[in-house]
Amino acid sequence: QHVAGVRPGINRLVVRPRLLNGLNSLSSSHIIRGTRVELKIAKGEKSVAVVDGKATPFENGELVLPYSKKKSQRIEISLKES
């Protein structure tokens, strides 16, 4: 979970992704509070996040979400190359 930046909290899920040198993308799957979270992180032209097909605020390198009540959740994050 640490490489993908997944940090479950008491009442929210925080994702602070980082790609290690040499990696262009990373995919992972996690079971968090009964929800399968599919996470895809990739380098891109700008930093953006999409959760279940909807653009979601991604500020200061951090995505903060309430816990999903669904059985699955898809998170896609594009990280601006530095």
Side-chain angles (χ1 to χ4, degrees), residues 10-70:
I10 293 174
N11 59 2
R12 63 187 182 161
L13 176 64
V14 177
V15 183
R16 292 185 196 132
R18 302 284 181 267
L19 286 174
L20 299 174
N21 288 336
L23 285 180
N24 291 321
S25 65
L26 170 72
S27 294
S28 62
S29 179
H30 311 269
I31 303 293
I32 301 172
R33 294 200 177 183
T35 298
R36 176 175 295 281
V37 178
E38 300 290 338
L39 177 63
K40 182 176 181 183
I41 304 163
K43 290 182 181 178
E45 293 182 18
K46 59 183 182 175
S47 293
V48 296
V50 176
V51 178
D52 293 331
K54 295 173 130 181
T56 305
F58 182 70
E59 299 174 353
N60 300 316
E62 181 175 86
L63 176 66
V64 179
L65 300 169
Y67 284 110
S68 177
K69 293 179 175 30
K70 299 186 290 182

